[in-house]
Amino acid sequence: MLRLETLVDKVAAYHPAADRALIEKAFAFSERAHAGQRRRSGEPYFVHPLSVASIIADLRLDVASICAGLLHDCVEDTAATVEELQAEFSPEVAFLVDGVTKLGKIAWHTREERQAENFRKMLLAMARDIRVILVKLADRLDNMRTLGHMPPEKQERIARETMDIYAPLAHRLGIMWVKCELEDLAFRYLFPAEFEALRAQVDQTEEERLRRTLEVEALVAQELAAGGVVCRVKGRAKHLWSIHQKMKRTGRELSQIQDAVGFRVITGSVGECYQALGIAHSRWTPVPGRFKDYLALPKANLYQSLHTTLVGPGAERMELQIRTEEMHRVAEEGIAAHWKYKEGRPGGPGREGPGGDAQTFAWLRQLMEWQQDLQDPAEFIQSVKIDLFADEVYVFTPKGDVKALPKGSCPIDFAYAVHTKVGDHCSGARVNGAIVPLRYRLRNGDMLEIITSPNRRPNKDWIKFVATSRAKTKIRHLLREEQREKAKTLGRELLDRELRRWRTSLPKSEKDGTIERAITAFKLNSIEDLIALIGYGKLVAAQVAQAIVPDERREGGPIEPSPDAETPIKGLVKKAPRRGAPSGITVAGETDVLVRFAKCCTPLPGDSIVGFITRGRGVTVHTRECEDSLDLEPERRVDVEWDGQSKAPRPVALKVVCADKPGLLAHISQSFTDAGVNISQANCRATDDNRAENTFHFQVQDLEQLKGVMRALLRISGVQSVDRVVLGTVVPGT
C-alpha cells in the first residue's frame, strides 16, 4: 500500500510550499473514517482514497485537491458530514468533496435518473471549480484499475459509462494520459476477446516496433537539424483502443496499420514549428488532406500542434505532431498544465476572480447553460455525450468570426449556435456563396450565411441530421410545445365532456375553483398540467371529474353512464386478463396491457426500456437509449419492465463486416446455427476495399442470447466488426 511519506514527497516535488501538515491531517481523518471497511478485493477500503490522492498528485494539483482525494468518499460512505469537513479543513476542501459526492439520500425511480442527477450535480460544481471533475476523474481511474473484482454486469455498466462520458471528458480537459488509460481499461471489459487478441498481437511486434521507432526518431531529428531546427523527437505507440478503432474503421489487420506510432517534434518556438513543417514536407511526401493547423486554431481543450501525415522511410506512413515545449506540456497534462498557485489562495481554471481561468473553459459554462432546461434524465445524459465529442470543425461567419462545432454539424447547428431565433426560423444556408441543403455537412474553413424566414419553423426531420445538443434540445422543446398545445386542446374537450355528464362544465369548475381539488388530488402544479395529462392519455377524464364534482352532486348520478376507467393503465387493459404478460411486458404493475414494441429500436428482453402511452394504441415500448424516444413528451412516460416469464422471440438484425474471402460466409452462417438461431433474411455485398458487408435478420429470446451470437461471430478469423442494427442505424458494440 502507498505510504503517507511517498504521497507527501510526490506533492513536494512539484509544489515545495505545500502544506504537509494538512495532507497528513486529511490522511489520518480518512483512515479513521474508513476503519473496518473493505473493498471487494479484500483490501482495506482506505487503499482507494489513498490511490486517488496519488493520481491527483500525478496531475500536479494543489493541496486542497489532494485532501479532497483522500476525503472524497467520507461523506458518502462514512458518518462524516460536509459541515464536519468544513470545520476540520476548509470550505474549499468541503466544496470539492461535496462536488463529487453522489446524491445518495434521494429515492430515484430508475438508475438512469440517479446517474443523470448525480452527473448534473457534478457538472454544476465543476462549473464553479474545475478541480471537482479532476478529483472525480482520479476516482474513476482508480475504480477502473480495480474493476476486475466487480460482478460482470457491473463491469460492463461502469466500463460503458467510462467510455461514453469520463474518457471524452478527460479528452475535453486535455489530460490525454488519463483519457488513454480510461479507454484501454473500458475496452478490456466491454470487448474482452478483442482486447486480449489485440494486446497479444501488439506484444508480439513490440520489439520490431521499438527498433523502427528509434530509427525514425533519429532520422527525423537529423533531417530537421540539417535544416537548422534544433528539436527533440519522440515516438509514442497509439494506445490499444485507438488501434482497435482504426482497424475497425479501415478494415485492416494490425500488420497493415502503418501509423500505429505517432512522432512528436518538440521545438523551441512557434516559428521553428512552421520551419520544421516545411523541412518535413520537402523531405517526405505529405499525404493530401491530412494536415491540420492547431497552432492557429487551438482545440477547445487548449491543445496546440501542427499535424501532418507523410510517406516516410520505407514508404510507410508517418504521423508528425509539431509543437513547442509549452504546447507539449499542455498536450500531456491538459488543464493541470495551466494550474496557478497564489500565495494563500490557489486559483485555477473554472474559478472566479484573480488567478482564475474561467474564460479558457467557457465551453463548460456553455454546456451547463444548454443543459439547464433539460429535466428528462435520458435526454440530459444523451446531450452531455454529444457535447463531449472531441472532433470539431471550424467555420466562419460572414464577418470572419470563427465558430467551432462538432464534426458532422450542419447549417442548422450553426444557426442555433448563433442564436435560438436564428435556428427557429432557419430556411436555408449559403456556404462559400452557394446555396446548400440544410443537411449539408460543414467542413473546415467553410464560410456560412444563414437565411431566415419569419414563417419557417423547425420540423421533426431536423433532429435526425443535426449534431449539436443545443440544436436537438431547442428543436425538441419547440416540437413538444406544439404537441403540448394539441394535448391541452384535446384534454379540455375530454374533461369538459365528462363534467357535463355531471351537470357542470370545465369553464364553470375553473371559475368556482372546484378544479383545484383535482390539482391537489393528483399532486400537480397547475390547471394546464392537469388538462395536458388528460390529453396525453396519462390521466382519465372520468377519474379527474370524480375529484372535481362535489359529493352532493355525485349522489344524483350522471346524466349518462361512462365506461369504467379507474386509472389510465386500466383503460389500456384488455378484456380477458391472463396469467403472465402475453407481451412479456408489465406496465405499472399490470400484466395484461395492450403493448406494442417500437420498430425504431426493437427492444429485446434484457434491454433497459421505457414506455409511452399512445392514445388508442396502448403503450409503446422503446429502449432507453433510443433517439426517437427522446422526441416524445416526458408526460406520456409510464414505468414498464420485462415480465421475466415470457419467452417469445423478438426480431433483431446484425451487421457483420468481414474480409471478402471464400468460405467465410459459410463459417458465419454456421455460427448462427451453432447458437440455435435461424436466419430469416440476409443481405450480403462485397465492397471495393476487399471487404464484405452482411446484414442478418433473425430472432432471439433475449439480450444475452444476442450477445452470445455476437461474441461467437467476433471469434471468427476475418470478421472485423459485429454491430446491432435498428432501422438502418448501426449501434456499435454488444
Side-chain angles (χ1 to χ4, degrees):
M1 186 173 80
L2 183 71
R3 296 168 59 237
L4 171 62
E5 293 77 11
T6 306
L7 175 64
V8 172
D9 290 344
K10 184 185 284 191
V11 176
Y14 65 84
H15 187 22
D19 188 344
R20 301 169 68 101
L22 192 62
I23 297 175
E24 292 167 0
K25 184 179 179 181
F27 181 98
F29 186 99
S30 181
E31 190 174 32
R32 284 196 310 272
H34 291 294
Q37 295 179 348
R38 298 246 167 213
R39 304 191 82 187
R40 284 182 179 268
S41 62
E43 294 178 306
Y45 190 88
F46 181 61
V47 170
H48 170 61
L50 190 54
S51 298
V52 170
S54 179
I55 294 170
I56 293 170
D58 290 335
L59 292 170
R60 304 169 68 86
L61 298 186
D62 62 341
V63 172
S65 302
I66 302 294
C67 292
L70 289 167
L71 302 165
H72 77 278
D73 273 339
C74 286
V75 174
E76 187 175 335
D77 296 332
T78 77
T81 65
V82 174
E83 292 74 21
E84 188 177 354
L85 295 183
Q86 187 168 329
E88 285 283 334
F89 298 94
S90 69
E92 184 180 24
V93 170
F95 174 80
L96 295 177
V97 172
D98 185 50
V100 296
T101 299
K102 295 175 184 173
L103 305 171
K105 296 182 180 179
I106 301 176
W108 305 110
H109 293 97
T110 65
R111 187 180 71 239
E112 290 78 10
E113 185 178 348
R114 182 176 64 248
Q115 178 201 36
E117 292 310 310
N118 282 330
F119 197 73
R120 194 192 299 269
K121 175 194 173 186
M122 188 175 64
L123 281 180
L124 286 168
M126 174 183 164
R128 288 179 57 190
D129 194 322
I130 204 74
R131 291 174 295 175
V132 169
I133 196 59
L134 298 180
V135 174
K136 182 60 183 178
L137 283 174
D139 175 40
R140 177 52 61 112
L141 180 55
D142 187 63
N143 282 331
M144 287 299 296
R145 287 173 176 175
T146 56
L147 195 59
H149 300 287
M150 301 293 282
E153 62 275 9
K154 280 196 172 183
Q155 289 178 350
E156 184 173 349
R157 176 173 59 80
I158 294 170
R160 174 58 61 196
E161 184 183 66
T162 298
M163 189 71 85
D164 287 348
I165 293 179
Y166 289 99
L169 195 49
H171 189 286
R172 202 75 149 97
L173 295 169
I175 313 171
M176 301 311 295
W177 70 270
V178 172
K179 175 242 185 192
C180 293
E181 187 172 351
L182 286 175
E183 285 182 339
D184 279 355
L185 289 167
F187 178 25
R188 176 181 179 182
Y189 293 103
L190 289 173
F191 309 101
E194 297 94 310
F195 175 83
E196 293 299 338
L198 182 57
R199 184 167 66 173
Q201 292 180 63
V202 169
D203 288 346
Q204 287 175 1
T205 60
E206 184 175 8
E207 187 175 333
E208 172 60 25
R209 189 172 63 254
L210 180 60
R211 182 192 62 77
R212 170 172 163 73
T213 299
L214 293 173
E215 288 177 358
V216 174
E217 284 177 359
L219 179 60
V220 172
Q222 178 183 330
E223 291 291 336
L224 294 180
V229 176
V230 178
C231 62
R232 59 189 181 95
V233 181
K234 184 68 178 173
R236 179 184 291 179
K238 295 182 186 293
H239 61 297
L240 293 179
W241 176 247
S242 176
I243 296 173
H244 173 72
Q245 288 293 89
K246 186 148 195 173
M247 289 170 63
K248 261 187 91 171
R249 189 169 60 249
T250 61
R252 297 174 182 172
E253 299 295 330
L254 178 63
S255 58
Q256 298 173 299
I257 303 294
Q258 297 179 352
D259 51 359
V261 177
F263 294 90
R264 278 83 168 165
V265 175
I266 299 148
T267 70
S269 68
V270 172
E272 287 183 327
C273 288
Y274 287 104
Q275 186 180 350
L277 178 71
I279 295 169
H281 279 191
S282 64
R283 174 64 178 83
W284 297 285
T285 305
V287 177
R290 295 300 301 271
F291 169 67
K292 293 179 181 177
D293 188 345
Y294 293 118
L295 264 62
L297 291 171
K299 290 187 177 183
N301 62 8
L302 311 181
Y303 176 88
Q304 288 183 283
S305 276
L306 295 173
H307 285 202
T308 188
T309 302
L310 311 165
V311 180
E316 292 188 357
R317 289 195 174 194
M318 173 177 67
E319 284 187 359
L320 284 189
Q321 297 171 1
I322 307 170
R323 58 181 75 135
T324 66
E325 287 285 357
E326 175 61 19
M327 292 172 188
H328 182 63
R329 194 163 69 90
V330 173
E332 296 300 303
E333 302 175 20
I335 186 176
H338 286 258
W339 202 260
K340 301 165 187 169
Y341 294 99
K342 294 288 181 182
E343 188 65 34
R345 180 190 176 200
R351 291 180 61 85
E352 302 289 354
D357 203 3
Q359 289 304 313
T360 304
F361 285 84
W363 63 267
L364 177 57
R365 296 190 179 281
Q366 192 175 57
L367 174 67
M368 286 312 305
E369 288 171 7
W370 292 354
Q371 314 310 331
Q372 63 186 356
D373 296 328
L374 292 180
Q375 300 303 317
D376 180 51
E379 189 175 352
F380 173 72
I381 288 295
Q382 185 67 24
S383 64
V384 167
K385 290 177 186 178
I386 292 171
D387 281 331
L388 290 179
F389 284 138
D391 291 340
E392 294 178 316
V393 292
Y394 297 89
V395 296
F396 295 90
T397 68
K399 294 181 178 179
D401 297 329
V402 179
K403 289 278 185 184
L405 295 168
K407 192 174 183 180
S409 292
C410 64
I412 297 172
D413 292 297
F414 177 86
Y416 276 106
V418 172
H419 196 280
T420 300
K421 289 185 178 179
V422 176
D424 287 346
H425 299 290
C426 175
S427 61
R430 290 190 184 92
V431 172
N432 305 322
I435 295 288
V436 297
L438 291 178
R439 291 174 177 265
Y440 171 84
R441 297 299 174 192
L442 299 176
R443 302 171 184 172
N444 277 320
D446 281 346
M447 180 171 286
L448 195 59
E449 179 185 354
I450 299 297
I451 304 167
T452 60
S453 169
N455 300 320
R456 186 62 187 262
R457 304 286 283 175
N459 64 63
K460 196 172 183 178
D461 289 338
W462 285 11
I463 295 176
K464 296 176 182 177
F465 56 83
V466 296
T468 60
S469 67
R470 179 177 176 81
K472 287 179 184 287
T473 301
K474 295 298 182 183
I475 296 167
R476 283 185 180 128
H477 176 73
L478 207 64
L479 294 175
R480 285 174 183 169
E481 284 296 310
E482 294 175 357
Q483 292 166 346
R484 184 176 173 84
E485 288 304 315
K486 292 178 182 178
K488 284 162 65 176
T489 301
L490 178 59
R492 291 190 72 87
E493 180 184 334
L494 293 173
L495 183 55
D496 187 60
R497 185 190 305 164
E498 184 65 28
L499 288 171
R500 289 184 185 280
R501 294 177 52 253
W502 296 95
R503 305 172 189 85
T504 184
S505 67
L506 178 55
K508 186 176 179 181
S509 65
E510 288 177 305
K511 187 175 181 179
D512 61 22
T514 52
I515 197 170
E516 296 291 336
R517 298 169 58 184
I519 294 171
T520 303
F522 293 104
K523 299 178 181 177
L524 299 173
N525 296 322
S526 66
I527 296 173
E528 285 73 19
D529 289 346
L530 178 73
I531 292 172
L533 289 177
I534 296 171
Y536 287 132
K538 197 77 180 285
L539 290 177
V540 175
Q543 184 185 16
V544 175
Q546 289 289 324
I548 295 174
V549 177
D551 295 341
E552 61 273 12
R553 184 166 294 176
R554 287 207 303 271
E555 289 177 2
I559 297 173
E560 58 185 38
S562 173
D564 178 27
E566 296 178 1
T567 68
I569 299 304
K570 289 285 186 183
L572 299 170
V573 178
K574 295 179 182 177
K575 293 296 183 183
R578 302 182 301 179
R579 293 184 62 188
S583 63
I585 296 289
T586 60
V587 181
E590 297 289 342
T591 57
D592 207 29
V593 176
L594 180 61
V595 168
R596 55 194 292 269
F597 293 94
K599 294 181 180 179
C600 54
C601 53
T602 57
L604 293 176
D607 278 327
S608 182
I609 54 175
V610 62
F612 291 87
I613 293 177
T614 309
R615 183 169 291 281
R617 291 186 293 173
V619 173
T620 303
V621 178
H622 293 259
T623 63
R624 286 194 179 272
E625 294 76 21
C626 176
E627 278 281 342
D628 285 3
S629 73
L630 297 177
D631 300 336
L632 301 173
E633 305 86 348
E635 291 91 342
R636 286 170 46 199
R637 184 175 300 142
V638 63
D639 292 336
V640 295
E641 58 185 17
W642 296 104
D643 178 64
Q645 299 179 16
S646 175
K647 297 296 181 183
R650 298 284 308 145
V652 71
L654 287 180
K655 180 180 179 181
V656 180
V657 178
C658 62
D660 184 15
K661 61 182 183 181
L664 187 53
L665 183 57
H667 197 174
I668 290 172
S669 300
Q670 186 60 44
S671 286
F672 282 96
T673 303
D674 294 343
V677 170
N678 182 49
I679 299 172
S680 59
Q681 180 183 337
N683 181 18
C684 308
R685 68 181 184 89
T687 60
D688 295 335
D689 53 357
N690 295 320
R691 293 195 297 170
E693 292 184 356
N694 316 282
T695 303
F696 300 99
H697 296 259
F698 52 98
Q699 292 190 331
V700 292
Q701 291 187 344
D702 54 31
L703 187 61
E704 272 310 307
Q705 187 179 15
L706 175 63
K707 288 182 177 180
V709 172
M710 296 176 78
R711 284 192 289 264
L713 291 170
L714 284 167
R715 285 195 289 267
I716 299 173
S717 176
V719 171
Q720 295 162 1
S721 66
V722 180
D723 299 300
R724 186 172 169 183
V725 180
V726 289
L727 279 187
T729 302
V730 177
V731 182
T734 58

